[in-house]
Amino acid sequence: MSEHGIGSQVVTQIAIVVHDIEQSIDHVSRAFGMAKPEIIITDTVEKARTNYRGTSSPAQAKLAFFHLGQVDLELIEPIGGPSIWQEHLDTKGEGVHHIAFAVPDTAAAVAALKEQGMADVQHGYFEGGMYTYVDTAPQLGVMLELLEFFGK
Amino acid sequence: MSEHGIGSQVVTQIAIVVHDIEQSIDHVSRAFGMAKPEIIITDTVEKARTNYRGTSSPAQAKLAFFHLGQVDLELIEPIGGPSIWQEHLDTKGEGVHHIAFAVPDTAAAVAALKEQGMADVQHGYFEGGMYTYVDTAPQLGVMLELLEFFGK
């Protein structure tokens, strides 16, 4: 599979990690002349089975999505425990955390990136699918999120 | 115009500033299973009329574009003089530099963002249009590029 890379060439999200999602929603809504989206809170660890750098974590996040054509601009405010989102805030401050792709086969995509020296740093589940963050920033300049939707 | 923000809600580019564009092209091509794009060198200051933080600059850049659906992933290696790209490399290292939007009226978009305390930090011209970088990172978490295509 590695000659096909992650198996997707269509970016679906640009995600920004922020300290205060309500304040960031205000700024983004105004800059783009858009209505304020609702804030979603991710599942607890029992359902999400969040694994951060090899260990289970009770981390959650507040999320908000702005639809910018094909791509969603996603705001993420980490809450509740150690996570790759909180790590970004602590080490780099607010900024672009990842870009996301819907992949047909997470295991194959992770294996292809592993051949390039890139590692799974957090994964978990949501209703209908799973996500995996791979630390591609040293090589690609940005982290990738692999989204797989089950039964599609 | 400010109630409409920048006048566009469709993101067209995600741009990453890099030290070595050839090496970055190798990594990105492999991760996405894509052919290597050509490298474009931006116009010299006589044609581009590059203005960086209020002053003319001979800055240029090597560019490469990967087409990821609606959005291009753009790699930027700054060369030749002071620029907002080089500033990012010097202060933050490699990473996401901006996301871009095609706007109908640059002056109106810049005015709308100025009301939110965001300033034009670099602008210039290319064949058929102009670009403006507005430092929206403190409020939005990422810099915006406003692209205006003339005669369209």
Side-chain angles (χ1 to χ4, degrees), chain A residues 88 92 94-96 141-142, chain B residues 15-19 52-53 76 78 81-99 121-122 133 135 137 141-144:
Chain A
H88 187 287
K92 301 180 184 175
E94 294 189 326
V96 175
V142 64
Chain B
I16 295 173
V17 69
V18 300
H19 287 291
Y52 165 59
R53 294 195 179 278
I76 303 173
S83 66
I84 200 69
W85 310 303
Q86 188 64 50
E87 184 182 314
H88 187 286
L89 270 186
D90 293 344
T91 60
K92 301 180 185 174
E94 294 189 326
V96 175
H97 180 265
H98 67 264
I99 59 174
V121 287
Q122 183 172 316
Y133 292 114
D135 186 13
V142 64
M143 185 175 287
L144 297 188

Side-chain angles (χ1 to χ4, degrees), chain A residues 57-61 78-82 86:
Chain A
S57 173
Q60 292 178 265
I79 52 175
Q86 188 64 51

